[in-house]
Amino acid sequence: MNKSLLISLAISPIVSAAANTPNSNTPNIILFLVDDMGWQDTSVPFYNNEKTNLNKRYHTPNMERMAQMGVRFTEAYACAVSSPTRCSIMSGMNAARHRVTNWTLNYDEKTDAPSATLDIPDWNYNGIQPDTVTTAYNRKNTTPITSLPKILHDNGYYTIHCGKAHFGAKTTPGANPATMGFDVNIAGGANGAPGSYLGTEFFGKGSPQEVKGMEKYYGQDIFLTEALTIEALEALKKPIAENKPFYLYMSHYAVHSPYNNDKRFSDKYRGKFDEQLQAGLNENEARYAAIVEGMDKSLGDILDFLEKNPEVKQNTIVLFMSDNGGQGLNNVRQGRENRDQNFPARAGKGSAFMGGVREPMMVYWPGVTEGNSLNDQRVMVEDFYPTILEMAGVTQYSPVQTIDGVSFVKALKQPAYRYERPIYWHFPNLWGETQNTEEGYGAYSAILKGDYHLIYTWETGQKRLYNVREDIGEQNDLSKVYPEIVNELSKELGNYLRQANAQRPVIKATQKVCAWPDER
């Protein structure tokens, strides 16, 4: 069947007699999460409300459309790599507390790079697990949680997971979204990337990163992003027909590597002159831009589905977020500095700098958010847990875990309202791509409070301080200029890490655990 016909059928109107009505007190909620999308990988400006040269590279008309419908958050943050962010969304915990501090894959295997100087702590490399786990096998190096979808499910929601999960290691219960409170799991497992985006390559069948559950598309000339969207829209028909509120976690594998050719969009980018680069886009960049546009088409198909079902649209909240900073290493022009991809922010995925953690975020809440508005309230990824539950009207719940997130519902309902809250990052690990500490990689912890971002490197004890209001590129280290601010933030960071029972690396030469930030 023609792919455009499949999408057309998927977004056709549902019989409205059974649909959720705008008078319902229980809204539908869609969380549209993108993988590895930097805050500049879009034609929507998230910096000073002016399009940068990077914004001009990409074509994301449906993100622009959503921005016109709702509010853009200009200071949204996540962890620097994937699994920690996803575990925080599911649990409401900061990574320091849930201890899934690096990416996960195989059972009982760390994914850290080797080091001659550091021993990495015994972090929770088996991921999060449902709070019903009982066996020692399922409890080893894991954090049991009462998950966000489980609470929603128990409060009458039909819960759908579509796409990348990546919050539990292979063979553990947590690897399967169906054990974590989702009524439907579409293509979610332990893998953190697709073996391939191409149906003609069976989405990487047989590889460690194969996408399972999509066999009906094997051999078809279809891109994974498109196939997932078709399946998600089909799954929505059941709760709508049954007049049940739904939670759709539309968690795309895009825009993560591999950069397979999405021929629907790639030709328009090949050789396109780019003002940021002052050169034409190369093949890798053209393919990446096409994957970004394919992701944007998925968002558009979901918005079209809502438009064609207006009673559903009037009662559906849509949240858009990315799980970590944009690629700073693998997707830039050869020989150029790795911060180009996220400019003016520095570095990218895996880094403590803004390029590794600053995200594109938007919210559309009918009757609440003002169209084409901006909000500079700082939001951290664990905030989605209490926020979504408050949006759903769920006030009575007793999770087994401590919730670190802060609901930003009031900031949505009262656009002028702001609250101060420090944001903490904890990564006592060694990411596999690079250990260039000058660019913010390696084992670190960090705090963002007020105008200042303090980065603490565990191995060396180095502390760097940046005024991100004035210097978002973090080029001017102020640690020697404002030692009193360094001391204040070091103390606050150290106290938080202790309170969260955070783990620390060990120096191999001395076999001593690294000192807390306020002890150096």
Side-chain angles (χ1 to χ4, degrees), residues 39 45-52 72 74 344 358 374 469:
W39 70 313
F46 286 90
Y47 179 61
N48 289 342
N49 202 25
E50 295 180 359
K51 284 200 174 188
T52 65
R72 278 171 286 160
T74 57
R358 195 154 175 163
L374 298 174
R469 300 282 189 200

Side-chain angles (χ1 to χ4, degrees), residues 94-152:
N94 185 272
R97 195 182 304 277
H98 64 57
R99 294 185 167 187
V100 188
T101 44
N102 205 353
W103 60 278
T104 62
L105 183 59
N106 294 318
Y107 179 75
D108 226 15
E109 289 185 13
K110 292 182 180 180
T111 55
D112 300 280
S115 172
T117 56
L118 283 184
D119 281 327
I120 302 304
D122 199 28
W123 57 281
N124 285 340
Y125 38 80
N126 290 325
I128 53 173
Q129 304 297 326
D131 55 16
T132 54
V133 297
T134 56
T135 69
Y137 177 90
N138 293 335
R139 291 197 304 267
K140 187 177 187 304
N141 290 94
T142 66
T143 298
I145 67 160
T146 308
S147 72
L148 171 63
K150 175 65 164 56
I151 295 174
L152 290 172

Side-chain angles (χ1 to χ4, degrees), residues 242-253:
E242 296 178 355
N243 197 27
K244 290 188 69 173
F246 62 78
Y247 171 60
L248 169 61
Y249 181 40
M250 186 72 235
S251 178
H252 273 296
Y253 286 96

Side-chain angles (χ1 to χ4, degrees), residues 57 259-274 279-290 293 333:
R57 176 186 303 184
Y259 304 123
N260 298 120
N261 183 31
D262 189 343
K263 58 188 179 183
R264 297 174 298 169
F265 307 109
S266 55
D267 279 349
K268 72 164 69 171
Y269 296 103
R270 287 191 176 91
K272 175 184 176 182
F273 182 80
D274 185 273
L281 296 181
N282 64 26
E283 179 66 14
N284 210 35
E285 291 156 348
R287 290 189 178 199
Y288 181 78
E293 188 165 349
R333 293 187 68 83

Side-chain angles (χ1 to χ4, degrees), residues 34-38 41 81-83 86 103 164 166 191-197 209 223-225 252-260 287-288 291-292 295 322-325 327 330-331 349 431 433:
V34 190
D35 191 21
D36 280 9
M37 181 184 183
D41 293 340
V81 292
S82 180
S83 293
R86 292 161 190 275
W103 60 278
K164 176 176 171 176
H166 205 208
N191 55 311
S196 171
Y197 283 99
Q209 303 284 8
F223 212 75
L224 177 61
T225 311
H252 273 296
Y253 286 96
V255 294
H256 197 289
S257 61
Y259 304 123
N260 298 120
R287 290 189 178 199
Y288 181 78
I291 292 175
V292 169
M295 172 279 301
S322 175
D323 71 340
N324 49 244
Q327 284 283 2
N330 297 329
N331 192 44
K349 177 181 178 180
W431 192 46
E433 304 288 336

